[in-house]
Amino acid sequence: MTARVSLEEKFRETGGKRPYVQRLFGRIARVYDPMNRLMSFGLDRRWRAFAARYLALGTGELGLDLGAGTADLSIAVIRRSGPGTRMIGLDITPEMLDIGRGKVARLGLQEQIELRVGDAEHLDLPDNSVDGCCSAFTVRNLTDVRQGFREMLRVVRPGGRVVCLEISHPPGKIFGSLFHFYFYKLAPLFGTIIGKAFEEYNYLPNSLTTFPDAPALQAIMEEVGWRDVRFYRLSRGIVAVHVGTKA
C-alpha cells in the first residue's frame, strides 16, 4: 500500500502518470536495453519473439507497436512476418525513439519501421487502419488500461489481432515469493548500481503492484470488446502474452 501511495504522490507532483512515465523513461533511455537484458537474464528477447509470432502479420500488412520504445518488438515482428510488412511504432518518450531509430537504421529497416511520438490512449490514427497491434511492457504504464485497449480495438481492422506482452503475477506461493523478492528488492538494486537510476528501477516493479493478473487482464480486454481472448504464461508466469481478435 505504501508503494501505491508513494507513486500516486509522485504522479500528482509531476502533473499525472503520463508525464511522470515520460520523464522517467527519458532518463533511462540509454541504459534501457542493456538493463532489460541483465534483469531478464536475456529472456526478454524470447518473450518478444513469442509475441511477434502471435501477431502473425501477412505479406504487405501494416502493424502498430504501442510503447515501441527502442523498437525491439517492431524489429521482432518484421523479422517474423511476410515480405513488405510494415510497422508503425508509437511512444510518448522521444529519447527512447531516438535510440530505436538508430537501431532501425543500423539494421537497414527504415523503409519498414516508422517510429513516431504518440499516445497509446489517444491514437492519431483512423478507425480500422492497421492489420494488427502489439505492445511490450507498455500497458502497465497506461493511465487507463481500458481506454488503451479501446483505442487498439478502434484502429485494428476487423479480423485483426492484438498481442500484449506484459510483466505478470506468477502463480504459486514458492515461485511467486522468489519472484517478488527479485523484482521488488534486487531489480531496484541493479538499477541503482548499474544504471544509477534508483527511482526509475524502483518505479518499474512497484508499477506491477496494482496491475491486474493474467485472468483479470483477459476480462478487461473482453469487457472492452476484444474476442477470443487468451493468454500464455511464459517463464513460469513472470510474463504473460495476451492475444485477442477484433470481431
Side-chain angles (χ1 to χ4, degrees), residues 76-106:
V77 171
I78 290 297
R79 285 174 167 169
R80 288 160 181 81
S81 299
T85 302
R86 294 177 297 122
M87 291 293 293
I88 297 171
L90 299 182
D91 200 286
I92 61 172
T93 309
E95 295 89 344
M96 294 282 281
L97 292 174
D98 286 343
I99 301 293
R101 290 189 187 100
K103 192 184 300 181
V104 168
R106 287 193 298 274

Side-chain angles (χ1 to χ4, degrees), residues 38-104:
L38 173 67
M39 292 171 62
S40 72
F41 302 102
L43 291 172
D44 64 302
R45 286 173 171 162
R46 295 185 186 180
W47 299 334
R48 286 187 178 88
F50 184 95
R53 286 198 302 273
Y54 272 90
L55 190 61
L57 292 179
T59 299
E61 290 191 328
L62 174 65
L64 176 64
D65 178 7
L66 296 181
T70 62
D72 277 351
L73 183 55
S74 292
I75 292 167
V77 171
I78 290 297
R79 285 174 167 169
R80 288 160 181 81
S81 299
T85 302
R86 294 177 297 122
M87 291 293 293
I88 297 171
L90 299 182
D91 200 286
I92 61 172
T93 309
E95 295 89 344
M96 294 282 281
L97 292 174
D98 286 343
I99 301 293
R101 290 189 187 100
K103 192 184 300 181
V104 168

Side-chain angles (χ1 to χ4, degrees), residues 123-156:
L123 295 173
D124 186 19
L125 291 169
D127 296 357
N128 307 315
S129 58
V130 298
D131 296 292
C133 178
C134 60
S135 67
F137 312 117
T138 296
V139 172
R140 194 173 78 256
N141 298 309
L142 298 181
T143 303
D144 185 337
V145 172
R146 285 173 176 80
Q147 171 63 16
F149 279 116
R150 286 189 198 101
E151 277 291 85
M152 297 178 209
L153 186 69
R154 180 181 67 79
V155 301
V156 170

